[in-house]
Amino acid sequence: MPRIYRVFFVYFHESASNFPRSVLAALRFVFLRRGFLAMGQSYATGFIRADPAAATPDIQTSVAVLSFDKPGDRLHDFPGFTLTARRLRPESRGTVTIRSGDPLAPPAIAPNYLTSEKDCAVLLAGVKANRRLAQSAALRPWIAREHDPGPSCTSDADLMEFLRTRGGIAYHPVGTCRMGSDAHAVVDARLRVRGVQGLRVIDASIMPTLVSGNTYAPTVMIGEKGAEMVLEDAAAAPR
């Protein structure tokens, strides 16, 4: 299940025009490969226990050094940054269903975001935690105002409406070919597709549940372990 993410935007106190600074940043990148344009999007992240009763952190928050309405859109024309709240270990479950015998036909995907009351409550608490972070002594001097959802969005109902209409995913989907021994599992403990000879799935989709953080490192581990299994089974096969 993809991890839910959503954000609110804030922007720095700066002059009305940042054109000269943008030109200098572009030139510095072209000739020196340094500066803001040589940076990744997100340079700081942290884990928050939004639910005090949670045994481990349930929200991952990140700071991105840019501001936009949604991924893929143009950047805002004011200098800003983005605070992101991601729900860790979501309980909501979606489905990916084959619609046709044609292998080129797209599947039916129903993500079912925020169908769990627990997911809604924790993500709501995560957004409030980000707002408290923005009001902290360390950040407050650098912030002019909250851009999105904005200071008028204060009630839990309004914040949930914002999350439902403007939320998205963090591009860490897992579980569509989950590993297990029950009737609904797609692959077995050696990543072999059940009921299909000679086929394995070796990627993040075999995770039964989402890990508490980014999926890159666990996916590399899955690839290495899966490759080891393939070699082991090939060596054990009769010749």
Side-chain angles (χ1 to χ4, degrees):
M1 179 65 187
R3 188 177 333 155
I4 297 297
Y5 91 102
R6 194 49 191 173
V7 304
F8 63 90
F9 299 108
V10 288
Y11 64 86
F12 299 103
H13 287 287
E14 287 193 2
S15 59
S17 173
N18 62 350
F19 177 75
R21 181 170 296 183
S22 299
V23 172
L24 290 174
L27 292 174
R28 189 179 187 195
F29 174 74
V30 169
F31 292 106
L32 301 176
R33 290 294 190 267
R34 295 179 179 177
F36 280 110
L37 295 181
M39 296 171 62
Q41 172 182 312
S42 204
Y43 261 67
T45 191
F47 294 87
I48 299 172
R49 190 178 280 102
D51 177 1
T56 59
D58 47 20
I59 286 289
Q60 181 180 1
T61 184
S62 299
V63 180
V65 290
L66 43 79
S67 183
F68 49 81
D69 286 330
K70 62 182 179 180
D73 282 0
R74 291 175 60 87
L75 299 182
H76 289 147
D77 59 2
F78 52 78
F81 68 92
T82 304
L83 286 174
T84 305
R86 299 186 182 99
R87 163 73 163 121
L88 303 178
R89 303 180 305 280
E91 296 179 355
S92 301
R93 292 292 182 268
T95 60
V96 178
T97 307
I98 296 173
R99 296 191 302 178
S100 167
D102 178 4
L104 299 180
I109 301 175
N112 298 330
Y113 300 135
L114 296 177
T115 51
S116 161
E117 291 185 6
K118 180 70 171 181
D119 289 350
C120 295
V122 172
L123 193 56
L124 185 62
V127 172
K128 292 178 178 179
N130 270 357
R131 277 183 158 169
R132 292 193 299 271
L133 180 63
Q135 292 297 322
S136 66
L139 280 182
R140 184 60 207 153
W142 304 100
I143 297 174
R145 67 179 177 87
E146 179 181 312
H147 174 67
D148 199 6
S152 63
C153 187
T154 57
S155 70
D156 287 359
D158 288 344
L159 284 171
M160 278 309 307
E161 179 64 18
F162 170 77
L163 291 168
R164 290 185 182 281
T165 58
R166 298 288 304 283
I169 64 171
Y171 305 107
H172 297 158
V174 304
T176 53
C177 293
R178 71 177 178 85
M179 178 176 63
S181 57
D182 60 281
H184 297 289
V186 176
V187 300
D188 64 15
R190 294 192 67 80
L191 308 186
R192 297 170 298 200
V193 176
R194 299 173 60 190
V196 180
Q197 190 70 26
L199 178 63
R200 299 182 201 241
V201 176
I202 306 175
D203 58 27
S205 65
I206 65 97
M207 296 183 190
T209 57
L210 191 59
V211 295
S212 299
N214 293 21
T215 53
Y216 174 76
T219 304
V220 171
M221 181 276 295
I222 289 169
E224 292 180 347
K225 184 63 176 179
E228 182 180 295
M229 289 177 176
V230 170
L231 294 175
E232 288 173 351
D233 290 352
R239 300 183 183 277

